[in-house]
Amino acid sequence: MTIVPDIGVSWTTNNDMTQWTFQIRDGVKFHNGTDLTGHDVKATFDRIAFPESYGEGIGSPNKAIWQSADLKEITATDSEVAFHLEEAKSTQHMMAGFVDALAKISSKADLDANKGNMKKIDFSKVSGSGPFKFKETNADHFLVEANPDYWNPDAPYLDAIETIWIRVFSAEQTAAIQTGMIDWTIATAQADGGKLAGTKGLQSAKMYNPFYWHLIFNSNRAPFNDVRVRQAAALVIDPGALAKVMNQRIGVKFSGGWFPEGLGLESYSADTLATHKYFRPPTEEDIAEAKQLLSDAGYPDGAGMPVIDLPSRGNFAVVSEMMQAQLLQHLGLESEVRVVDVGVWRETKAKGTFDIGLNNAVYSIPVPEVFINNITGTCDGAPCNGNLGKFQDTTLDALFEKLKYAANEDRYDISVEIADQLEKGMAYFPMSSMGYLPMYWHPPVKEFAANGSSWAGFYETLTRWDHVWLDR
């Protein structure tokens, strides 16, 4: 991948690569006319890496990248910003944070005024610095218009971009792009792929995402604070069937196991994985073992088990409903699928008010001592940012630390040890090792991407809307 300078025009590192210093582009202005400086960049990344500095209850989904980078602090002047690490990390690791699609530079003044909480902001009163600036929003759309003061005098090409509010993975979305109601869309239902492929003139591309979908057990409250209950549930939940159902919405790949394929660690093809305990459709032996585990935990034949809480984002409720059916069919366990909007879904998991929750870890840094440790591990004496079930296992923490410094030839054997320990603790249960999202557009949309192309990674880091134009 070629890294194209944007706000940061160049960077340097010190000799031991524990300090990364970026020069900030001169003359960049926020939409309100104020200058963008290194202090704004620092404030933005402080909000991502150290959300607690803005107050209790402020979260950050991408904090884990910087936790795993052992970021000590960020310093800044008007013209540069420096990231100081406890120890050196690879360029790949650092760039995963620096080019993060969510790291849009915010004004320090706006972050301070809102105490880091941008959920309920008035878009007319905050300011970005990109090629398009906010115009209006209502129940039907979100409208941005070209920024005449954008730092690049040759962009943007478009006068405005109007985003129509349509639920992703829905029949309405498919109809909107088929009929030309909209020019471009992303994340259509996988089940509609054939229909869209047959739509005359419609162009497409596909991006493959490092999505590690998994089920989190809440290890911090009964009944799933008992490992036997977690193992019993895992024995009767069929992850291959869940992935198949999920593919009606978002594209996922059931394979790998505890570790995605291609990382040089213990992993299996989909066919082989489907024969392994915990990953196969439950056998009579699995169900019998699960019932015995429940009995040993004080719930013979499920008696005394509370109703299991399964919060679900609306688009993925079908996954939770299948899990609900499997728990009832094999163990007689009652559960409630609680459908909430995406914001509440994330807050519910962050607050720990759930029993089993569907979750996704994005492994931008493709090493399990980062992304899996974030799901199960301890960081700075507390559960890591992604450890939503508040699981604790010092043996597992030590194994990930061992993997962190292992020679390449030793990593596979250590991964086998980690997989065994993950099965013993069952903090979570993997469901897929890769995701993919289609994008569709009509021929007048130019310079978005080549028709029929595909790539790994997020489109926001590979395609720029400031160079897209309409031939009409």
Side-chain angles (χ1 to χ4, degrees):
M1 180 189 296
T2 300
I3 297 173
V4 179
D6 201 331
I7 300 300
V9 293
S10 63
W11 77 87
T12 58
T13 62
N14 61 357
N15 289 336
D16 62 4
M17 294 188 71
T18 57
Q19 179 175 318
W20 293 65
T21 303
F22 287 80
Q23 299 300 312
I24 304 304
R25 186 181 297 277
D26 187 41
V28 178
K29 292 186 178 297
F30 285 107
H31 297 155
N32 63 7
T34 59
D35 292 332
L36 186 154
T37 73
H39 300 290
D40 301 300
V41 179
K42 168 180 160 53
T44 298
F45 280 93
D46 277 339
R47 173 62 181 81
I48 296 170
F50 309 115
E52 62 281 353
S53 66
Y54 282 95
E56 187 177 353
I58 301 297
S60 170
N62 287 1
K63 176 181 176 179
I65 292 177
W66 297 105
Q67 275 185 323
S68 60
D70 297 319
L71 178 66
K72 286 194 302 184
E73 65 172 341
I74 305 169
T75 58
T77 66
D78 283 350
S79 60
E80 67 179 32
V81 60
F83 295 77
H84 305 267
L85 313 179
E86 294 281 359
E87 60 181 34
K89 298 296 178 184
S90 68
T91 298
Q92 181 186 23
H93 191 147
M94 298 307 298
M95 285 300 159
F98 294 139
V99 305
D100 180 1
L102 298 180
K104 303 294 190 286
I105 305 304
S106 298
S107 161
K108 182 179 185 302
D110 288 340
L111 285 167
D112 290 345
N114 291 279
K115 298 181 180 178
N117 188 347
M118 309 295 270
K119 290 182 180 178
K120 297 181 179 180
I121 57 172
D122 181 341
F123 287 105
S124 67
K125 295 179 180 178
V126 297
S127 200
S129 63
F132 298 94
K133 57 193 299 184
F134 174 76
K135 176 66 174 177
E136 66 176 31
T137 186
N138 56 36
D140 299 316
H141 73 181
F142 188 95
L143 181 64
V144 293
E145 60 185 4
N147 174 15
D149 299 315
Y150 188 47
W151 61 263
N152 183 350
D154 298 320
Y157 296 162
L158 295 171
D159 296 323
I161 296 178
E162 180 185 24
T163 299
I164 308 296
W165 300 129
I166 302 175
R167 189 163 54 92
V168 295
F169 312 122
S170 69
E172 294 83 359
Q173 182 189 19
T174 296
I177 190 66
Q178 276 191 301
T179 60
M181 173 186 171
I182 55 178
D183 296 302
W184 178 95
T185 197
I186 187 172
T188 53
Q190 292 297 313
D192 290 341
K195 185 186 301 183
L196 290 168
T199 301
K200 185 177 180 180
L202 200 59
Q203 300 185 358
S204 67
K206 183 181 289 187
M207 64 177 182
Y208 291 87
N209 304 122
F211 285 168
Y212 186 70
W213 285 97
H214 54 282
L215 303 175
I216 303 174
F217 296 112
N218 192 340
S219 303
N220 200 40
R221 73 177 193 182
F224 289 95
N225 57 349
D226 190 320
V227 64
R228 293 168 294 189
V229 177
R230 300 195 297 271
Q231 289 174 332
L235 279 165
V236 301
I237 293 173
D238 181 354
L242 296 186
K244 186 175 181 179
V245 167
M246 196 170 190
N247 263 312
Q248 296 176 17
R249 303 289 191 271
I250 186 173
V252 295
K253 181 183 179 183
F254 169 71
S255 69
W258 291 104
F259 306 103
E261 293 180 279
L263 302 185
L265 306 174
E266 184 185 46
S267 61
Y268 303 94
S269 67
D271 289 343
T272 302
L273 185 64
T275 66
H276 284 235
K277 182 179 179 179
Y278 290 115
F279 294 95
R280 64 195 177 200
T283 63
E284 291 184 6
E285 291 79 9
D286 293 334
I287 295 168
E289 182 180 350
K291 289 180 176 179
Q292 185 61 54
L293 285 166
L294 280 184
S295 181
D296 294 344
Y299 304 107
D301 296 320
M305 272 282 287
V307 175
I308 299 169
D309 181 29
L310 306 176
S312 177
R313 176 178 167 183
N315 293 321
F316 303 135
V318 63
V319 179
S320 297
E321 288 165 356
M322 172 162 278
M323 179 166 44
Q324 178 185 48
Q326 292 171 347
L327 290 169
L328 181 62
Q329 175 187 353
H330 300 305
L331 296 178
L333 300 181
E334 297 286 345
S335 58
E336 179 184 0
V337 176
R338 181 161 53 95
V339 179
V340 297
D341 67 38
V342 63
V344 174
W345 185 59
R346 289 170 176 164
E347 287 182 357
T348 295
K349 291 183 291 184
K351 291 177 180 178
T353 52
F354 69 95
D355 288 322
I356 308 176
L358 180 65
N359 195 52
N360 181 25
V362 180
Y363 55 103
S364 303
I365 306 164
V367 288
E369 57 267 38
V370 173
F371 72 91
I372 296 181
N373 185 59
N374 184 49
I375 301 171
T376 65
T378 301
C379 297
D380 302 322
C384 296
N385 193 53
N387 188 350
L388 303 174
K390 303 298 185 285
F391 178 75
Q392 293 183 318
D393 184 343
T394 55
T395 299
L396 189 59
D397 290 344
L399 284 170
F400 278 122
E401 189 70 8
K402 181 180 177 182
L403 186 66
K404 181 178 178 180
Y405 295 105
N408 284 338
E409 59 268 25
D410 298 327
R411 289 179 63 82
Y412 184 92
D413 289 341
I414 298 172
S415 77
V416 174
E417 293 183 70
I418 290 174
D420 289 344
Q421 194 65 23
L422 286 168
E423 287 193 4
K424 289 178 183 177
M426 202 59 70
Y428 75 99
F429 192 62
M431 198 180 84
S432 77
S433 61
M434 176 65 71
Y436 48 92
L437 291 173
M439 292 154 283
Y440 294 93
W441 63 94
H442 289 280
V445 177
K446 303 297 184 182
E447 299 302 321
F448 172 75
N451 184 29
S453 62
S454 63
W455 59 83
F458 298 95
Y459 88 85
E460 295 94 335
T461 60
L462 296 166
T463 298
R464 302 179 61 91
W465 282 103
D466 47 358
H467 293 147
V468 172
W469 58 284
L470 279 174
D471 185 16
R472 67 173 184 227

